[in-house]
């Protein structure tokens, strides 16, 4: 026989107990005994469990020891399904029409939490359609008016209280149906998810070691708004730079599906004319567009802040900066080298020119010396010629005059003067005159004449 223990009070499920709870008799029903206090038809163990739960009793059920010869009796975890008291829901925020203010200052009604109504409060926007369908079926079976009415009405005595409880049950069930309809409609669900609670905070400062702890969750939060469901991961410090660039390219080209229904200041149903309705539509569209721009600016700020603080990007920028500096230094060194080479070439050219000028000066000096020497030698030979020609001039042989001798001195060069003087040496008379007469020739004719004369005389 199963039993339920609560606050040291044991209640038999298949009979009724004479024990008291808080000073009042506690009645239960079973498959064989009717409810004595309310005179209602029994509904089995589930009915008893619900009734006991509503009276504040525990739900843990254990199996009695029927076989005393067993060494280790088995415990059965047959927990009774938890059906929450409707008073708890009725006082919850999901059933109240709270009001809040949007950015424009207008009061708007706060929606019911559709995910919580279906038991998907922990999943929320991550819930799949299959999960929504399954949760709806479970919630519908659990909170169907036909199932809850008999059990929940046990606690009410007056007809008004029973009617109010019945209306609350039906209202709750309608909210579950409404939640299912909204979440299964893509457009309605997108609008609801857009108005769901969300942390819009954008990190700005963090230590390099805390970058992934600070910005990783921020990107994951905002990834829910991405039109492209395949959102890349931020990675870690070992992620290749190519993938890091791809990640930021994705976020810089981010497209959001987030809606802003709370920015629609005007209710189109309140329009008194077609013109007013169109004006309301334009105003709502303008404010929605403004909200979208602010949203994209917020996402852009998030990406910019992360890009500036990302240690991988910072490291790459430092490496690129170092490479640029190295190239710059290399250019400076190359330029300096060219300048040094140019300066060296200029210096070499200057030195060469100075050397050439020096050589030219020396050559000119030597030439001058040679000219002076040549002048002296010529003057000497001229004097010699004049001396050797003196006998011829004094005897007036062959009509040779002083002018003729001076003409030879001026017309012949030093070497010619020397040769002529050498020929005139040791000669006298006509021989000397003939040599002087042939002074402009190379001496060949004079020699031939001498030979002929010698033959004639012999």
């Amino acid at each position: 026989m199963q039993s339920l223990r609560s606050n040291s009070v044991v209640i038999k499920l298949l009979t009724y107990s004479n024990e008291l709870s808080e000073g009042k008799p506690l009645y239960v029903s079973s498959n064989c005994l009717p409810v004595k206090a309310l005179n209602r038809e029994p509904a089995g163990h589930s009915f008893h469990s619900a009734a006991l739960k509503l009276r504040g009793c525990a739900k843990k059920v254990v199996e009695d020891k029927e076989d005393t010869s067993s060494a280790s009796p088995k415990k059965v975890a047959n927990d009774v399904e938890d059906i929450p008291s409707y008073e708890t829901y009725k006082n919850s925020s999901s059933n109240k029409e709270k009001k809040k203010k949007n950015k424009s200052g207008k009061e708007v009604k706060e929606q019911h939490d559709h995910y919580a109504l279906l038991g998907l409060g922990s999943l929320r926007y991550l819930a799949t359609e299959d999960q929504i369908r399954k949760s709806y079926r479970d919630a519908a079976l659990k909170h169907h008016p036909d199932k809850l009415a008999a059990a929940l009405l046990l606690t009410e005595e007056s007809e008004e209280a029973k009617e109010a409880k019945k209306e609350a049950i039906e209202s709750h069930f309608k909210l579950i149906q409404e939640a299912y309809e909204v979440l299964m409609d893509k457009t309605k669900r997108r609008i609801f998810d857009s108005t769901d609670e969300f942390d819009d905070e954008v990190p700005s400062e963090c230590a390099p070691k805390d970058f992934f702890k600070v910005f990783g969750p921020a990107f994951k939060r905002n990834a829910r708004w991405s039109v492209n469901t395949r959102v890349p991961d931020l990675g870690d410090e070992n992620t290749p730079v190519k993938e890091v660039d791809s990640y930021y390219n994705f976020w810089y080209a981010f497209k959001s599906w987030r809606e802003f229904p709370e920015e629609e200041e005007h209710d189109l149903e309140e329009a008194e004319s077609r013109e007013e309705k169109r004006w309301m539509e334009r105003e709502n569209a303008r404010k929605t567009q403004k909200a979208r721009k602010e949203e994209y600016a917020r996402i852009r700020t998030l990406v910019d802040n992360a890009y500036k603080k990302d240690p991988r990007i910072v490291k790459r920028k430092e490496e690129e900066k170092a490479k640029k500096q190295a190239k710059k230094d290399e250019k400076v060194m190359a330029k300096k080298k060219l300048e040094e080479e140019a300066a060296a070439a200029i210096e070499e050219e200057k030195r060469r020119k100075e050397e050439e000028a020096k050589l030219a000066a020396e050559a000119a000096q030597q030439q001058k010396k040679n000219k002076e020497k040549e002048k002296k030698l010529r003057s000497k030979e001229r004097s010699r010629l004049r001396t050797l020609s003196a006998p011829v001039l004094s005897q007036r042989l062959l009509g040779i005059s002083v002018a003729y001798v001076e003409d030879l001195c001026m017309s012949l060069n030093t070497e010619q003067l020397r040769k002529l003087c050498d020929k005139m040496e040791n000669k006298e008379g006509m021989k000397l005159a003939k040599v002087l007469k042939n002074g402009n020739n190379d001496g060949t004719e004079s020699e031939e004449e001498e030979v002929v004369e010698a033959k004639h005389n012999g």
Side-chain angles (χ1 to χ4, degrees):
M1 179 179 295
Q2 294 181 346
S3 63
L4 190 84
R5 182 178 300 275
S6 174
N7 298 328
S8 344
V9 178
V10 178
I11 303 167
K12 304 286 174 95
L13 293 180
L14 298 182
T15 62
Y16 75 93
S17 174
N18 293 325
E19 285 83 354
L20 297 179
S21 177
E22 297 180 356
K24 298 180 181 179
L26 177 63
Y27 294 93
V28 296
S29 62
S30 67
N31 289 333
C32 58
L33 294 176
V35 178
K36 296 184 179 180
L38 299 177
N39 194 23
R40 290 189 178 276
E41 198 68 21
H45 291 286
S46 295
F47 182 87
H48 306 322
S49 299
L52 294 173
K53 284 290 295 174
L54 292 175
R55 298 306 294 263
C57 299
K59 65 179 181 179
K60 187 176 180 181
V61 179
V62 295
E63 184 178 294
D64 291 340
K65 297 179 182 180
E66 295 181 354
D67 188 2
T68 55
S69 62
S70 176
S72 59
K74 185 184 296 184
K75 293 184 179 181
V76 180
N78 186 22
D79 294 342
V80 179
E81 186 180 20
D82 185 13
I83 301 178
S85 171
Y86 205 72
E87 293 294 333
T88 305
Y89 173 77
K90 192 166 82 169
N91 294 327
S92 65
S93 60
S94 61
N95 196 38
K96 289 184 178 181
E97 291 185 349
K98 289 186 178 180
K99 291 186 178 181
K100 62 179 180 178
K101 291 184 179 181
N102 59 8
K103 294 180 181 180
S104 62
K106 182 183 176 182
E107 290 186 349
V108 293
K109 292 181 179 179
E110 187 176 0
Q111 301 184 76
H112 298 287
D113 191 344
H114 299 315
Y115 290 111
L117 287 167
L118 297 184
L120 298 171
S122 59
L123 291 176
R124 308 199 73 76
Y125 72 96
L126 297 175
T128 63
E129 290 187 358
D130 291 338
Q131 289 173 326
I132 293 172
R133 289 192 187 95
K134 184 178 182 302
S135 297
Y136 169 70
R137 287 195 296 268
D138 295 341
L141 290 174
K142 185 176 181 180
H143 299 286
H144 198 282
D146 294 342
K147 181 175 181 180
L148 292 183
L152 296 178
L153 290 177
L154 288 173
T155 60
E156 305 297 338
E157 297 181 357
S158 64
E159 292 296 329
E160 294 180 357
K162 293 177 182 178
E163 189 63 28
K165 184 68 69 175
K166 183 178 179 181
E167 290 179 1
I169 293 172
E170 292 176 352
S171 176
H172 185 201
F173 187 71
K174 288 180 180 179
L175 290 177
I176 293 175
Q177 291 179 316
E178 180 185 351
Y180 177 72
E181 292 174 359
V182 169
L183 297 182
M184 289 302 293
D185 186 292
K186 292 184 178 180
T187 302
K188 292 180 180 179
R189 185 182 180 184
R190 176 173 291 184
I191 293 174
F192 175 76
D193 287 341
S194 298
T195 58
D196 201 2
E197 185 178 356
F198 180 72
D199 182 7
D200 284 327
E201 182 182 359
V202 174
S204 57
E205 297 293 335
C206 70
K209 62 179 181 179
D210 297 329
F211 172 79
F212 297 99
K213 294 180 181 179
V214 173
F215 282 92
F219 277 110
K220 285 185 178 180
R221 285 199 308 270
N222 288 276
R224 65 179 291 183
W225 308 120
S226 177
V227 173
N228 185 357
T229 56
R230 300 182 66 180
V231 180
D233 188 65
L234 181 60
D236 53 27
E237 60 275 4
N238 298 321
T239 302
V241 179
K242 186 176 181 180
E243 294 182 13
V244 177
D245 288 336
S246 177
Y247 179 82
Y248 283 105
N249 289 337
F250 173 87
W251 279 98
Y252 274 119
F254 185 79
K255 292 184 178 180
S256 173
W257 56 261
R258 190 177 186 180
E259 302 288 344
F260 300 91
E262 69 275 6
E263 296 301 325
E264 296 181 357
E265 183 179 0
H266 304 284
D267 188 356
L268 302 182
E269 295 181 358
E270 297 178 358
E272 297 179 357
S273 63
R274 182 178 299 176
E275 289 76 12
E276 185 179 4
K277 182 177 181 180
R278 291 177 179 174
W279 177 82
M280 289 180 176
E281 289 176 347
R282 288 195 298 270
E283 286 296 307
N284 289 343
R286 182 178 64 82
K287 295 196 173 186
T288 301
Q289 185 65 23
K290 180 181 178 182
R292 286 199 180 98
K293 288 182 179 179
E294 292 176 354
E295 173 67 4
Y296 277 107
R298 187 185 66 82
I299 295 294
R300 182 58 181 261
T301 302
L302 170 65
V303 183
D304 287 342
N305 292 347
Y307 194 84
K308 291 177 183 178
K309 297 295 181 180
D310 196 323
R312 301 164 298 186
I313 301 297
V314 172
K315 181 180 178 182
R316 183 178 66 179
K317 287 183 176 180
E318 290 176 352
E319 292 175 352
E320 290 177 351
K321 185 178 179 180
K323 288 181 180 179
K324 288 182 179 179
Q325 187 62 36
K327 289 183 179 179
K328 186 177 179 180
D329 295 341
E330 185 178 352
K331 288 182 179 179
V332 171
M333 293 299 294
K335 184 178 179 181
K336 186 177 180 181
K337 185 178 180 181
L338 290 176
E339 291 177 351
E340 290 177 352
E341 290 177 353
I346 293 173
E347 187 67 23
E348 180 65 22
E349 182 68 15
K350 182 179 178 181
R351 187 193 62 78
R352 186 182 64 79
K353 288 182 178 181
E354 289 177 352
E355 186 70 21
E356 289 179 353
K358 183 179 179 180
L359 292 174
E362 291 177 354
Q365 186 69 21
Q366 184 66 31
Q367 186 178 4
K368 184 179 179 180
K369 290 181 179 180
N370 292 336
K371 284 183 178 181
E372 291 178 354
K373 184 178 180 181
E374 180 70 18
K375 186 177 179 181
K376 289 180 179 180
L377 290 174
R378 183 180 293 183
S379 178
K380 181 179 179 182
E381 293 298 330
R382 284 175 181 174
S383 298
R384 184 182 173 196
L385 179 62
R386 289 188 186 102
T387 301
L388 292 173
S389 301
V392 177
L393 292 175
S394 63
Q395 298 177 16
R396 297 182 180 180
L397 298 176
L398 298 176
I400 298 173
S401 62
V402 176
Y404 175 78
V405 174
E406 291 298 325
D407 184 58
L408 287 177
C409 288
M410 294 295 127
S411 62
L412 297 179
N413 58 31
T414 304
E415 184 65 21
Q416 288 174 338
L417 288 170
R418 184 183 62 76
K419 287 182 179 181
L420 179 58
C421 290
D422 290 342
K423 289 179 182 180
M424 292 172 66
E425 288 285 343
N426 303 320
K427 287 186 174 57
E428 299 177 352
M430 289 300 294
K431 290 183 179 180
L432 180 61
K434 288 180 180 179
V435 172
L436 182 60
K437 188 69 175 180
N438 295 323
N440 290 330
N441 299 325
D442 56 0
T444 305
E445 182 179 352
S446 177
E447 291 178 356
E448 289 178 352
E449 288 179 353
E450 290 179 356
V451 172
V452 170
E453 186 178 357
K455 289 180 179 181
H456 179 71
N457 294 328

